Amino acid sequence: MKDNHEGFFERVYEVVRQVPYGRVTSYGAIARYLGTGRSARLVGWAMNSCHGLDDVPAHRVVNRNGVLTGKHHFPGSRLMEQLLENEGIVIRDDQVVDFNRHYWDPMRELPPL
DNA sequence: CGATTGACCGAAG
DNA sequence: CCTTCGGCCAATC
């Protein structure tokens, strides 16, 4: 509880870590929650560094379209899809079915900064 | 310190 | 509908 914001990553990780089981969120939503808003790419960048962090369920983070954009970065070919389906989420054509229903908005669920 | 990039988003052609 | 472009911000080369 002191070096929380060593970098932008830690802040992203913190939000992703709070994503409940069986839920998904988007990069833009996290970015907006952090206040960066227009820098959703930074969130994706942070995920690039999330390799090795088991506390950061990157598979629960998709783009605003509900498409598993980062699935290509996961080991294997369909690990991300399997992880999501393992949580009860249905994936079809690399896309989350009923994304709106599984969507978890940090701004809506988490308290404001 | 300058230039590049990156798992995005949104708009425009 | 699909492709292209710009922006925005931080980390990396």
Side-chain angles (χ1 to χ4, degrees):
Chain A
M1 349 229 188
K2 53 193 183 104
D3 28 318
N4 264 19
H5 34 277
E6 277 185 10
F8 191 83
F9 302 155
E10 286 293 330
R11 259 195 237 173
V12 178
Y13 302 150
E14 194 129 351
V15 178
V16 178
R17 241 179 294 193
Q18 289 170 80
V19 177
Y21 179 92
R23 294 283 168 138
V24 285
T25 186
S26 54
Y27 303 92
I30 298 171
R32 254 190 298 160
Y33 177 72
L34 296 177
T36 46
R38 299 152 181 188
S39 3
R41 313 166 108 215
L42 280 306
V43 181
W45 243 95
M47 306 308 285
N48 238 342
S49 248
C50 85
H51 277 280
L53 307 179
D54 297 356
D55 292 60
V56 182
H59 62 273
R60 290 189 193 146
V61 184
V62 295
N63 67 352
R64 84 125 197 133
N65 207 11
V67 182
L68 284 56
T69 49
K71 86 156 195 170
H72 228 311
H73 289 252
F74 277 78
S77 306
R78 322 184 104 192
L79 177 60
M80 190 172 182
E81 296 167 53
Q82 288 179 9
L83 286 170
L84 290 170
E85 293 207 321
N86 187 33
E87 299 191 356
I89 301 178
V90 183
I91 307 297
R92 182 172 179 161
D93 197 28
D94 298 340
Q95 186 174 322
V96 178
V97 178
D98 288 325
F99 174 61
N100 192 331
R101 201 168 68 148
H102 293 290
Y103 186 54
W104 180 84
D105 194 336
M107 293 240 278
R108 194 173 87 181
E109 305 293 326
L110 291 178
L113 296 176

